[in-house]
Amino acid sequence: MNEKVIVSKFGGTSMGDAECMKRSALVAFNQGAKVVVVSATSGTTNDLIELAKTAEKSTWENASLILTKIKVKHLKIARELEMNPEKIEPINQLCEELESMSRGVHLLKDCSLKALDSIQSIGERLSSVLFTEAMNIVLRAQSVQTTAKWLDVRDVLITDNQFSKARPLTELIKTRCQEQLSFIRHSDVILCTQGFIGKTQDGMTTTLGRGGSDYSAAILAEGLEADILEIWTDVAGIATTDPRICKEAKAIPEISFKEASELATFGAKILHPATLLPAIRAHIPVFVGSSFHPEQGGTWVKKDVEDMPLVRAMAMRKKQILVTLSTPEMLYSHGFLYQIFKVFNDHKVSIDAITTSEISVSLTLDDSTLLNKDLVNDLEKFADVQVEENLALVSLIGNNINHTPGLAKKIFESISDINVRMICLGASKHNFCFIIAEESAAEVINRLHKTFIA
Ligand code: ADP
Ligand code: ASP
Ligand code: MG
């Protein structure tokens, strides 16, 4: 028996239909995974959010159309997996639970983040039931003793109560993993469980934020003192940039934790930005590969790697907002930055990039929904506030970036016809980022890729 603990996570596209599930299950089996963490089936989290919003704001007829769509999609997979009525029962129960919650939202015309988290949790709970069956089909075909068992991850993945972006309570999770799951190292069981969701100490369902299944897998890997964490997705590893934006993007065989963390934070959707933190803390190497083409290999993310290029990869994040605060009072005074950061802190809004001048400070925020009226009103108590939208943050990720002469020249020469609104360099050895208009972002990435990588 393989006594290594390998935690494998499969994303939404790897859960697309019964075929995808069986293909992913075979990958998990071949890799010797002991714990498999799955996302909701492709598109389902979006459908669940739409369902919740429709139930809150529109007619019940409209909401029930979405409800039916979700139910039909999952029952179809169950049929394709030839699940008998007894096995299908949990699927029906989850659909009923979803209907009750949606009716509650509709009657109250109120969809709190707490309600939305419970509604979204159904996606991973449904897919994990189906995947457990797919895993058992594969195990039977391999004629092995091993069996797959469904696990409710909420029994171990305990979080705080920040609904929609809950934070895992690491120490508690470690204790629960050791108490409840450590048997897995010496067992013939493969645990199949949900990504993305957790539970507060008083039993309320939470989610870790969009794309959070990667993070879930990493937290479980840490809790279980796993030997390897694998993230299986629809591309063969981390590439030099998003292959959807740039056809010339190339797979990266090895990347350091620091570079990969920056890449994820600055917009490479392939990894949730928090994924690597638990892996770094627990010294767990991470592999990223394609569940569709496992034979193509992938990327190893490790503490130390041999090759440390100046520019390894690039990423972009759209829907950025640039907020510029100006006041003559900033001149020769102290405490101004403290005051404005306190306002952002009070509103629980996190700031990304910052530059300051004599009497003004510019900072960027991710996603326009964050900048609400109250926040702007509070900022206006201290300064004139100017807001620019439809911007993109472009980042180059690599090594020794802040100590290499000539880099900025090369970057800006290759995009000399494009207006750059803000530049951030210096804080990190691994990152150079700047703000441009959103519509130029893809072009900029392609040009920089040509200059530095292709
Ligand atoms: P999953 O559903 O498996 O979590 P995601 O859609 O969240 O998958 O992430 C995979 C996608 O990330 C890829 O299809 C690709 O378009 C995108 N992506 C963005 N940046 C990169 C990059 N540097 N390398 C590889 N993929 C990237
Ligand atoms: N299903 C969740 C989402 O779509 C989490 C994930 O897939 O990682 O955001
Ligand atoms: Mg993802």
Side-chain angles (χ1 to χ4, degrees):
M1 183 196 311
N2 161 28
E3 299 210 339
K4 268 195 180 162
V5 173
I6 296 174
V7 176
S8 296
K9 176 259 171 179
F10 292 86
T13 41
S14 305
M15 293 289 117
D17 54 27
E19 271 325 295
C20 289
M21 286 194 185
K22 283 193 265 184
R23 189 187 303 121
S24 298
L26 185 61
V27 172
F29 171 76
N30 286 334
Q31 295 297 117
K34 295 267 182 179
V35 177
V36 182
V37 176
V38 301
S39 289
T41 56
S42 174
T44 298
T45 306
N46 289 346
D47 289 344
L48 289 164
I49 294 171
E50 201 195 333
L51 166 62
K53 297 292 163 206
T54 308
E56 183 189 25
K57 298 218 158 76
S58 177
T59 60
W60 179 249
E61 284 65 40
N62 286 339
S64 61
L65 287 176
I66 307 170
L67 204 54
T68 307
K69 177 181 167 195
I70 295 168
K71 195 169 174 175
V72 166
K73 176 174 173 183
H74 289 86
L75 286 175
K76 180 168 178 274
I77 300 179
R79 266 198 313 280
E80 286 164 2
L81 294 172
E82 295 175 13
M83 288 165 80
N84 61 31
E86 195 192 327
K87 285 185 173 163
I88 290 184
E89 193 42 33
I91 302 285
N92 287 324
Q93 277 174 15
L94 285 166
C95 292
E96 276 165 31
E97 188 180 330
L98 180 61
E99 174 160 358
S100 305
M101 290 191 290
S102 310
R103 277 198 189 272
V105 165
H106 183 65
L107 288 171
L108 295 168
K109 298 267 172 262
D110 181 22
C111 184
S112 64
L113 291 176
K114 193 178 192 176
L116 187 60
D117 273 3
S118 286
I119 288 177
Q120 288 186 82
S121 78
I122 298 287
E124 270 65 12
R125 289 159 68 200
L126 282 168
S127 66
S128 59
V129 171
L130 295 168
F131 181 79
T132 309
E133 183 60 24
M135 191 78 231
N136 274 321
I137 292 173
V138 165
L139 292 171
R140 282 197 296 272
Q142 300 287 330
S143 309
V144 287
Q145 291 273 307
T146 316
T147 51
K149 289 219 158 53
W150 182 83
L151 166 79
D152 189 335
V153 84
R154 294 171 298 175
D155 292 340
V156 290
L157 212 150
I158 310 300
T159 71
D160 68 7
N161 64 357
Q162 286 191 58
F163 296 98
S164 84
K165 46 173 190 288
R167 287 169 188 244
L169 304 180
T170 315
E171 289 309 314
L172 203 56
I173 293 170
K174 275 190 200 160
T175 311
R176 297 229 179 164
C177 281
Q178 290 307 319
E179 283 170 5
Q180 298 179 29
L181 310 181
S182 61
F183 73 91
I184 202 78
R185 191 176 286 274
H186 310 288
S187 149
D188 268 341
V189 166
I190 298 177
L191 293 174
C192 300
T193 197
Q194 311 80 46
F196 185 48
I197 67 172
K199 192 166 79 176
T200 62
Q201 289 191 75
D202 54 357
M204 297 295 141
T205 297
T206 54
T207 68
L208 305 181
R210 292 306 304 270
S213 297
D214 304 335
Y215 190 25
S216 302
I219 295 160
L220 292 176
E222 180 184 30
L224 285 161
E225 296 175 359
D227 298 278
I228 296 173
L229 167 64
E230 298 176 345
I231 307 286
W232 294 96
T233 179
D234 58 354
V235 286
I238 303 177
T240 47
T241 192
D242 188 342
R244 283 186 219 180
I245 306 173
C246 174
K247 297 272 165 297
E248 289 158 2
K250 295 189 276 199
I252 301 170
E254 275 194 351
I255 187 170
S256 67
F257 276 130
K258 284 189 176 145
E259 292 167 282
S261 297
E262 296 258 4
L263 196 56
T265 307
F266 283 88
K269 195 186 167 219
I270 186 144
L271 285 181
H272 180 278
T275 310
L276 297 171
L277 296 176
I280 294 170
R281 283 195 300 254
H283 309 287
I284 302 171
V286 180
F287 177 80
V288 185
S290 161
S291 71
F292 295 82
H293 297 287
E295 75 290 349
Q296 288 180 4
T299 304
W300 278 101
V301 190
K302 297 187 193 161
K303 184 166 176 281
D304 300 307
V305 294
E306 267 174 32
D307 175 35
M308 304 268 275
L310 173 64
V311 178
R312 169 94 69 190
M314 47 203 63
M316 69 153 159
R317 227 161 52 187
K318 288 191 167 178
K319 287 198 199 149
Q320 303 298 294
I321 313 170
L322 184 67
V323 182
T324 303
L325 304 156
S326 319
T327 170
E329 279 165 39
M330 197 173 153
L331 194 64
Y332 304 126
S333 71
H334 59 86
F336 177 73
L337 288 178
Y338 166 76
Q339 282 170 330
I340 60 161
F341 288 149
K342 185 168 180 315
V343 174
F344 282 100
N345 183 52
D346 292 345
H347 287 265
K348 295 203 165 110
V349 168
S350 94
I351 299 168
D352 285 326
I354 308 166
T355 58
T356 73
S357 79
E358 203 179 19
I359 59 155
S360 56
V361 45
S362 284
L363 36 92
T364 69
L365 310 177
D366 190 42
D367 192 0
S368 44
T369 54
L370 289 174
L371 195 70
N372 58 52
K373 268 213 173 79
D374 294 343
L375 170 57
V376 174
N377 287 344
D378 284 350
L379 290 171
E380 279 172 341
K381 291 177 191 156
F382 302 105
D384 285 338
V385 181
Q386 193 202 339
V387 176
E388 291 163 70
E389 294 183 11
N390 303 324
L391 298 168
L393 181 70
V394 172
S395 322
L396 274 86
I397 313 294
N399 297 284
N400 221 14
I401 280 194
N402 54 357
H403 285 108
T404 304
L407 176 67
K409 178 170 180 272
K410 214 168 155 187
I411 294 174
F412 295 118
E413 254 172 17
S414 66
I415 55 163
S416 58
D417 54 331
I418 286 166
N419 183 40
V420 177
R421 257 314 268 112
M422 177 178 166
I423 301 170
C424 264
L425 167 70
S428 164
K429 284 198 274 198
H430 301 287
N431 173 4
F432 186 130
C433 63
F434 54 91
I435 290 274
I436 51 166
E438 206 172 70
E439 75 241 22
S440 314
E443 169 69 16
V444 165
I445 288 282
N446 274 284
R447 284 203 217 162
L448 292 176
H449 198 272
K450 227 177 221 98
T451 307
F452 289 99
I453 291 167

